[in-house]
Amino acid sequence: MTRIYAALRNALLVADGEPGDWRVTERLAGEEIQCVVAAPGRPDRVLCGTADDGVYRSSNGGETWNRVGEGVVGDRVTALAVSPDDPDELWAGTEPSRVYRSGDGGETWAEREGLTDLPSSSEWSFPPRPHTHHVRWLEVDPNDPAHLYVTVEAGALVQTRDRGETWTDRVPSARRDTHSMATHPDAPGRAWAAAGDGYAETRDGGETWTHPQEGLDHRYCWSVAVDADDPDVVLLSSARGAYTAHNPDRAETYVYRREDDGAWERSMDGLPGPDGLLRPVLASGGPGEFYALTNRGPFRSMDGGETWMRQVWPWHEGYERQTPQGLVVL
């Protein structure tokens, strides 16, 4: 059985079952959800970060919720992550940009200080609210859980290699506006980044980054996912710019696919749009399996992202104007 946690702006959808036989429930209706995280080792424990109410945690698959981290983690929680080797080790990123760690499944949290002491922090600024900035993404290295990539929107992709005891500033070849990242347990040193200023990837643990853009006609990139069985198959969602990525009245976004060192190709067979399609959030499932959460519903690919099929979930009109915020497939 598969479990999916699909976060829209104002609702978390919990889907259990298999394609053609999904049981879907809506949770946290009305909350302004920013992110969602869960782990295969604890599929019933799910955490959501919200725009003004901190971190919510459920230990029963979303049936009931309670706030965690009150008084420590801020109210605006913009990123969450879980260690691939320990489901009790959790990470939270906030606005203003801070990083917090929990070693007990979210019961207690502690700030990993020093992030904003990095030299580049004086340049960090989120364009819609230029007086502030936030942690957009946290990516734990599956081959070294002490190594985290931390992206700040906007301004930097920084790293720690000792669970936040010390921090390393952005390198010149890294993107400045990274929205999401992916890593792979069978590809040590590799990471993939979808950024507002384009796509990037590394093969040396973030020391240097390359920017293969051939075929990528839309370079405001939002979500990236890698095949569970083949790290040379990468999917990417992107648009011409922020306006067409996020505005439901002018939405126009695309999914691209890249294999090995080839050019990017559009992967829209079976997907709606591109007109009216807000930037999808992508996630890998089993080998060759991907999911795409869109404002037009959830979609699944079983051929490495070459074609898509809509999943039968209850999908009311209000969801069509909500941006997808996060997607976890267990």
Side-chain angles (χ1 to χ4, degrees):
M1 186 180 75
T2 300
R3 171 167 292 171
I4 299 175
Y5 294 108
L8 298 171
R9 175 69 71 179
N10 295 122
L12 177 72
L13 304 181
V14 182
D16 287 298
E18 299 293 344
D21 185 26
W22 294 110
R23 297 174 298 283
V24 183
T25 55
E26 182 186 271
R27 306 296 182 190
L28 295 180
E31 289 289 343
E32 191 172 347
I33 299 172
Q34 300 290 296
C35 49
V36 60
V37 72
R42 297 282 175 82
D44 285 336
R45 181 198 289 158
V46 53
L47 292 90
C48 285
T50 68
D52 55 12
D53 214 13
V55 181
Y56 277 90
R57 182 184 64 178
S58 172
S59 298
N60 52 16
E63 290 288 336
T64 58
W65 297 83
N66 65 290
R67 281 195 65 184
V68 294
E70 291 182 89
V72 180
V73 180
D75 289 337
R76 190 172 183 86
V77 177
T78 51
L80 290 167
V82 58
S83 175
D85 73 335
D86 181 1
D88 287 333
E89 184 176 42
L90 302 168
W91 295 89
T94 65
E95 181 182 304
S97 297
R98 301 286 188 274
V99 171
Y100 299 84
R101 177 185 176 273
S102 173
D104 53 14
E107 288 294 326
T108 60
W109 298 80
E111 183 181 352
R112 311 310 284 160
E113 297 180 350
L115 181 68
T116 53
D117 294 334
L118 292 170
S120 72
S121 65
S122 62
E123 303 172 23
W124 302 351
S125 178
F126 182 51
R129 297 189 303 279
H131 63 282
T132 189
H133 47 76
H134 56 263
V135 174
R136 174 69 266 171
W137 195 266
L138 298 158
E139 184 71 21
V140 185
D141 186 339
N143 292 282
D144 179 9
H147 177 207
L148 274 76
Y149 299 93
V150 178
T151 80
V152 176
E153 190 173 35
L157 192 168
V158 306
Q159 300 180 63
T160 177
R161 297 182 183 274
D162 52 16
R163 287 185 166 86
E165 291 290 336
T166 60
W167 296 95
T168 302
D169 208 347
R170 66 192 189 192
V171 296
S173 55
R175 295 300 194 188
R176 296 291 187 265
D177 187 26
T178 301
H179 295 135
S180 69
M181 293 186 64
T183 49
H184 198 288
D186 298 331
R190 296 182 70 179
W192 298 261
D197 47 341
Y199 170 80
E201 59 184 46
T202 181
R203 291 177 177 267
D204 57 13
E207 295 296 321
T208 60
W209 296 82
T210 58
H211 314 110
Q213 311 293 309
E214 183 184 358
L216 188 61
D217 301 323
H218 305 84
R219 298 188 180 181
Y220 180 87
C221 304
W222 187 260
S223 184
V224 62
V226 181
D227 192 311
D229 198 46
D230 185 354
D232 288 323
V233 175
V234 183
L235 297 189
L236 184 70
S237 65
S238 60
R240 287 190 177 87
Y243 194 64
T244 55
H246 305 296
N247 188 319
D249 295 319
R250 297 292 296 276
E252 181 191 337
T253 60
Y254 298 79
V255 173
Y256 283 84
R257 182 182 188 273
R258 183 170 183 257
E259 191 167 350
D260 299 316
D261 293 324
W264 292 98
E265 298 180 351
R266 294 186 189 183
S267 175
M268 298 295 291
D269 187 355
L271 290 175
D275 292 343
L277 185 67
L278 295 167
R279 77 295 184 279
V281 173
L282 306 169
S284 60
E289 181 185 38
F290 288 95
Y291 285 83
L293 179 64
T294 82
N295 60 313
R296 301 295 180 84
F299 291 79
R300 178 176 183 249
S301 172
M302 282 301 294
D303 54 12
E306 294 190 42
T307 62
W308 298 89
M309 181 173 292
R310 194 184 193 283
Q311 300 304 288
V312 181
W313 290 14
W315 204 261
H316 61 70
E317 185 177 349
Y319 292 164
E320 296 192 0
R321 298 187 64 81
Q322 292 192 37
T323 49
Q325 296 295 89
L327 183 62
V328 178
V329 179
L330 302 172

